[in-house]
Amino acid sequence: MRDTETHESNHVTTIEQLERDVWPDPGPEATFLIRRCTDLRRKPLAEFTVEDLRIMLGQEIGVPALLARAVQVLLSDPLAEGDYYPGDLLSNVLRLPDSAWPSLRAERQRLATVLAELVASPPSPTLTSSLATRTDCFATPSCGSLVDESAAARLPARCSRGSMPPRSDPR
């Protein structure tokens, strides 16, 4: 085997490899979401789609491995769309707890700037309203919003910590 092949085979490419935690096969009785998340933990990170990022970040699985990748997508397209609606990836990123961001402070600030610009010049009022409704904490700094107070003032505040929908753990 050549050195490059050895190096490539040792290169960490999946969430399972990064976390050094192999989930067992979920079995036929498992829900679609459990099977999908288990499969995505085994998928090479370089092959993740917006929908894959949306699913995993929505379930808070592999956040350290995926958040920087999702932020890069959102910086170029804040309304990047998985399978549901424009901004569905953004919605899940905004719902992540503050503890997900310590190593991404600069990226978080850049994303906040992009979001403030989006709020200031929305592509459509309906879309911005819809996005604010779906993200719950989009406009409320107390919920860890990435949008600064002046931008948040242009959106309806709809969130308190207790109003966030519960997340299901697929394991």
Side-chain angles (χ1 to χ4, degrees), residues 33 37 40 50-63 66-67 70 88-97 164-170:
L33 183 59
C37 290
L40 289 172
V50 171
E51 176 63 4
D52 297 338
L53 292 169
R54 183 196 67 78
I55 290 170
M56 295 298 274
L57 293 173
Q59 295 300 310
E60 294 186 22
I61 298 172
V63 173
L66 299 174
L67 184 54
D88 58 4
L89 176 59
L90 175 62
S91 175
N92 284 355
V93 167
L94 291 175
R95 290 181 181 202
L96 291 171
M164 293 298 291
R167 297 188 191 276
S168 60
D169 187 349

Side-chain angles (χ1 to χ4, degrees), residues 112-131:
T113 301
V114 168
L115 295 178
E117 291 169 4
L118 178 66
V119 170
S121 301
S124 84
T126 304
L127 181 60
T128 301
S129 175
S130 174
L131 181 59

